[in-house]
Amino acid sequence: YVGNLPPQTSYADLCAAAAPFGALESVRIVPHTRYAFINFCTDEAAARFHAKGSDERGLTIKHQRLVVNWAKAPAIPDELRAAIARGATRHVHVGGIDSSVTYQMLEAEFCAYGEIESMRIMQPSNYGSPHAGAFINFTSVASAIAAKEALHGVPFKNKTLTLEFAQGPGARARDSKERAKPGRKEKAGKGKGPKASASADGEPAASGSAEGAADAADAAGTNAAAAAVDSIASGPAPPADGEAAA
């Protein structure tokens, strides 16, 4: 649960605040209110976000501090969880876009599959391609999966669309913090790790892992996150969707 949202808070604003803490399964801003619900792909990511939102500095959007609390959410369906484990994200890279396609055309084609957080058509490249493609960020993984299943390989404005899952804007920050962790060692030249399946903003998406590295702001936040994870099972029942925790 995220409350005290500033007026006119957008999905892009909310996702930008939450994405550094882990991959998001879904985000929903309740219409005509100032609160929202964020579901992370893992309990650990949710705990990191909760810990940061509860510390002295907290989390802000447009210089306004957010109210962060636990809330009860439906369990992620097994089929969706399996798709996330295979690399599904809420971010889609779209290739095969004709030069005549506008932002409005693309939005009209994709909005049928779910709420869109943000979208960007790539500028002409140096390789003679009118458009390198587009990046469409949905507010849920399920919407991205539906769009990919429906539109991959489908003719659209004189071209054939190709859709791949991609990493979102928060992945770079998470990966940088993971590499900066004390004691982390990487073996050069081994080539191990998840296989790249798509790219967004120049970054390949990791197949088999939807969860990024921790965005622990400080040691206190990390310890609080760990304690929050431990308390999920044993703590009091969180409120139902639409109700703030006590």
Side-chain angles (χ1 to χ4, degrees):
Y1 167 88
V2 181
N4 199 37
L5 296 175
Q8 309 303 319
T9 296
S10 68
Y11 275 106
D13 294 330
L14 191 57
C15 290
F21 297 88
L24 307 178
E25 182 267 321
S26 63
V27 180
R28 182 170 68 90
I29 297 176
V30 180
H32 312 300
T33 73
R34 294 178 59 188
Y35 62 87
F37 295 95
I38 299 176
N39 295 329
F40 287 85
C41 290
T42 67
D43 291 342
E44 290 80 9
R48 287 193 293 269
F49 180 77
H50 182 272
K52 180 59 181 175
S54 303
D55 71 15
E56 292 183 0
R57 289 178 293 177
L59 290 165
T60 62
I61 291 179
K62 298 178 182 179
H63 307 293
Q64 184 162 309
R65 176 155 182 166
L66 305 177
V67 174
V68 177
N69 251 317
W70 293 114
K72 186 177 292 183
I76 299 176
D78 291 340
E79 185 177 355
L80 178 57
R81 190 177 295 277
I84 292 172
R86 292 193 298 269
T89 71
R90 62 186 184 89
H91 314 285
V92 177
H93 172 264
V94 184
I97 299 177
D98 188 76
S99 59
S100 65
V101 173
T102 65
Y103 184 100
Q104 290 75 17
M105 291 177 182
L106 205 60
E107 183 179 38
E109 186 71 15
F110 280 83
C111 70
Y113 302 97
E115 187 86 38
I116 294 174
E117 174 226 321
S118 60
M119 186 174 70
R120 180 165 66 94
I121 296 179
M122 304 294 289
Q123 296 299 316
S125 69
N126 296 325
Y127 302 99
S129 174
H131 287 139
F135 294 103
I136 300 178
N137 302 315
F138 287 93
T139 60
S140 74
V141 178
S143 295
I145 292 173
K148 184 175 184 293
E149 290 178 347
L151 298 177
H152 180 70
V154 171
F156 179 71
K157 306 297 182 183
N158 306 315
K159 296 288 181 93
T160 300
L161 297 178
T162 59
L163 278 69
E164 296 180 285
F165 294 119
Q167 288 185 355
R172 180 174 299 167
R174 297 197 301 269
D175 290 346
S176 296
K177 288 183 178 295
E178 177 69 14
R179 288 192 294 268
K181 282 183 178 181
R184 178 180 173 84
K185 296 180 180 179
E186 296 185 6
K187 295 182 180 180
K190 293 296 183 181
K192 294 183 179 179
K195 181 181 178 182
S197 60
S199 63
D201 297 335
E203 294 188 55
S207 176
S209 175
E211 173 57 26
D215 182 26
D218 48 42
T222 301
N223 293 336
V229 171
D230 292 338
S231 69
I232 291 174
S234 60
D241 192 350
E243 299 180 359

